[in-house]
């Protein structure tokens, strides 16, 4: 298992994996223009709607988690004293 991690930590390999990842994202985005959709709601018919919706949802989850952590979950420094 350690050899696998070492392999992917090499600069050339990590750069190649990153480029493959970015290329796959671009290909998926381009393919949305050629695939026929049958959306239930009208706003879901826009190109890249699912990607934008997923990104915004992720940002909202992160912001809500940070706010919850600050307001409710995090204890003061002298909590255990």
């Amino acid at each position: 298992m350690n050899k696998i991690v070492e392999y992917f930590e090499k600069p050339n390999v990590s750069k190649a994996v990153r480029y493959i990842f970015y290329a796959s994202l671009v290909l998926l985005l381009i393919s949305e223009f050629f695939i026929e959709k049958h959306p239930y709601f009208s706003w879901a018919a826009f190109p890249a709607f699912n990607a934008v919706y997923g990104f915004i949802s992720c940002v909202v989850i992160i912001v809500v988690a940070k706010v919850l952590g600050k307001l409710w979950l995090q204890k003061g420094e002298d909590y255990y004293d």
Side-chain angles (χ1 to χ4, degrees), residues 4 11 13-17 21 23-24 29 34-35 37 40-41 48 54 58 64-65 67 70 74-75 77-78 81:
I4 295 172
V13 175
S14 65
K15 188 181 286 190
V17 169
F21 176 70
S24 66
L29 187 62
F34 300 106
I35 296 174
K37 299 178 186 175
Y40 189 76
F41 298 107
C58 183
V64 169
V67 169
K70 293 285 184 188
Q74 201 171 38
K75 303 297 182 190
E77 287 183 27
D78 58 346
D81 291 339

Side-chain angles (χ1 to χ4, degrees), residues 59-79:
V59 169
V60 168
I61 288 171
I62 291 171
V63 169
V64 169
K66 285 188 175 281
V67 169
L68 277 177
K70 293 285 184 188
L71 296 178
W72 187 41
L73 299 173
Q74 201 171 38
K75 303 297 182 190
E77 287 183 27
D78 58 346
Y79 179 75

Side-chain angles (χ1 to χ4, degrees), residues 20-51:
I20 291 170
F21 176 70
Y22 291 150
S24 66
L25 289 178
V26 169
L27 288 174
L28 286 172
L29 187 62
I30 291 171
S31 70
E32 276 204 32
F33 293 104
F34 300 106
I35 296 174
E36 183 180 354
K37 299 178 186 175
H38 303 285
Y40 189 76
F41 298 107
S42 60
W43 59 81
F46 293 116
F49 170 77
N50 292 326

